[in-house]
Amino acid sequence: MDSGPAPAVRTLAAAGAGLFAAGAGTLGWAVLGERRRFQLRQETVRVLPAGSRPLRLLHLSDLHTVPGQEAKKRFVHSLAALEPDLVVDTGDNLSHLRALPYLLEILEPLFAFPGVYVPGSNCYFAPQPKNPFRYLWRTTAGERSGDNGGDGDEPVLLPTAQMHRAFDEHGWTDLINRARRIEVAGTVVYFSGVDDPHLRYDRHPGFPADQKSPAAVRIGVAHAPYVRTLDRFAADGADIVFAGHTHGGQVCLPGGRALVSNCDLDPAICKGLIHHRGVPVNISQGLGESRFAPVRLFCPPQAVLVTLTD
């Protein structure tokens, strides 16, 4: 008489069903849960001269805006209550050809504050469908596979000039391969910004050479924290650097250990406040993700409030 599958087979079947359920649950959380669990990370960095008033810088990156992202809009609007002295936008603001009006709605309350910005690749080119496992491959400078274009597809241009014109009209300052002297809440700050290193558009301008009103702090700003970029900022005398691009790994191991950085920075140090050649570097894990890879795991979306003190 047939008594059914052997115990070992039943055990394997049960284990397989359990693994499938766990995998489905994890994927569901990554797609529907974690990527909407917006957080504010706060850091304090001592880089100002003795006796200086603290400066509060709100760092935004990688919004990857798609029309209709109401949870993201509510979170960004809530950040205005922080009343930052300056907003630092490190790029990848768009993820859809028609997202610019909605992006401006998202940022509208923050335009009440001074801001600086640099672009990322998804400020220039729209993401396109591709093999999702390509994200897990290490990309090198100059490759665009991590951010835009499909497998051999021509990149689709985004309304970059219109976006930057809107930022300028709201009083934010363009740091695209430019050095600027800006007074922030009464403190003289020298900025050095570059275009996207991931696309090799970066041309380092150094820092302003204004001896009449020396800066209290020198700040480097870039989208992608490639090692060569951080090396150059350090060599130019930056006191702190702001960058994004990595999404903090986006899909991480339990505990937050990133699998990839999408650049040549070690994944173990691709988010948070790190130090490179003695210079603090604040790497945002970003507020969004490509609309064709809408997942986050053990890596929730974040904005960062960095307080500079003496």
Side-chain angles (χ1 to χ4, degrees):
M1 181 177 179
D2 187 359
S3 60
V9 174
R10 290 196 299 269
T11 300
L12 287 173
L19 287 173
F20 178 81
T26 299
L27 179 61
W29 171 248
V31 173
L32 300 174
E34 182 136 343
R35 70 189 187 96
R36 294 184 176 89
R37 192 163 61 92
F38 298 101
Q39 297 180 348
L40 177 69
R41 173 166 60 87
Q42 299 196 48
E43 303 284 356
T44 300
V45 186
R46 301 183 64 179
V47 291
L48 297 181
S52 297
R53 170 195 181 279
L55 295 179
R56 290 156 49 86
L57 277 56
L58 178 62
H59 183 190
L60 303 180
S61 195
D62 299 272
L63 276 82
H64 290 281
T65 303
V66 171
Q69 295 176 325
E70 289 297 301
K72 183 183 295 182
K73 182 165 75 171
R74 287 193 297 272
F75 175 75
V76 175
H77 282 197
S78 75
L79 298 174
L82 298 170
E83 298 186 347
D85 297 308
L86 184 80
V87 178
V88 180
D89 183 317
T90 51
D92 270 10
N93 288 294
L94 301 173
S95 198
H96 193 285
L97 277 171
R98 294 185 293 277
L100 178 56
Y102 195 73
L103 169 69
L104 299 179
E105 285 184 32
I106 290 175
L107 294 176
E108 191 275 332
L110 298 182
F111 288 137
F113 309 102
V116 296
Y117 68 89
V118 294
S121 60
N122 282 169
C123 293
Y124 291 110
F125 305 106
Q128 295 183 13
K130 63 174 70 71
N131 180 348
F133 292 103
R134 290 182 63 179
Y135 182 76
L136 297 178
W137 301 348
R138 287 179 180 269
T139 56
T140 58
E143 290 182 350
R144 294 180 180 175
S145 63
D147 291 290
N148 59 276
D151 296 305
D153 293 336
E154 286 297 316
V156 177
L157 299 180
L158 290 168
T160 313
Q162 297 95 312
M163 177 178 67
H164 290 170
R165 184 160 57 247
F167 288 178
D168 295 342
E169 289 171 352
H170 282 96
W172 285 12
T173 300
D174 154 19
L175 295 179
I176 307 172
N177 292 334
R178 298 178 73 182
R180 307 282 284 186
R181 174 197 180 278
I182 301 175
E183 191 169 303
V184 180
T187 297
V188 175
V189 181
Y190 287 175
F191 287 93
S192 180
V194 293
D195 207 337
D196 185 24
H198 191 62
L199 298 178
R200 288 194 174 276
Y201 288 175
D202 50 313
R203 302 291 182 269
H204 283 262
F207 285 94
D210 184 352
Q211 301 301 320
K212 295 181 180 179
S213 55
V217 63
R218 297 182 174 204
I219 298 177
V221 183
H223 174 63
Y226 278 86
V227 171
R228 73 174 195 278
T229 305
L230 302 183
D231 283 346
R232 178 59 187 270
F233 279 136
D236 285 344
D239 296 304
I240 186 170
V241 176
F242 288 78
H245 176 70
T246 67
H247 299 186
Q250 190 167 322
V251 176
C252 297
L253 298 173
R257 172 61 161 82
L259 299 174
V260 296
S261 67
N262 202 24
C263 65
D264 62 356
L265 195 65
D266 189 326
I269 55 170
C270 76
K271 58 184 171 184
L273 185 67
I274 68 168
H275 285 76
H276 182 84
R277 293 178 56 181
V279 178
V281 181
N282 185 70
I283 304 175
S284 169
Q285 60 194 53
L287 284 168
E289 58 284 319
S290 167
R291 65 191 174 108
F292 296 114
V295 298
R296 278 185 176 265
L297 189 61
F298 303 115
C299 187
Q302 288 183 343
V304 193
L305 183 68
V306 180
T307 301
L308 307 183
T309 66
D310 59 5

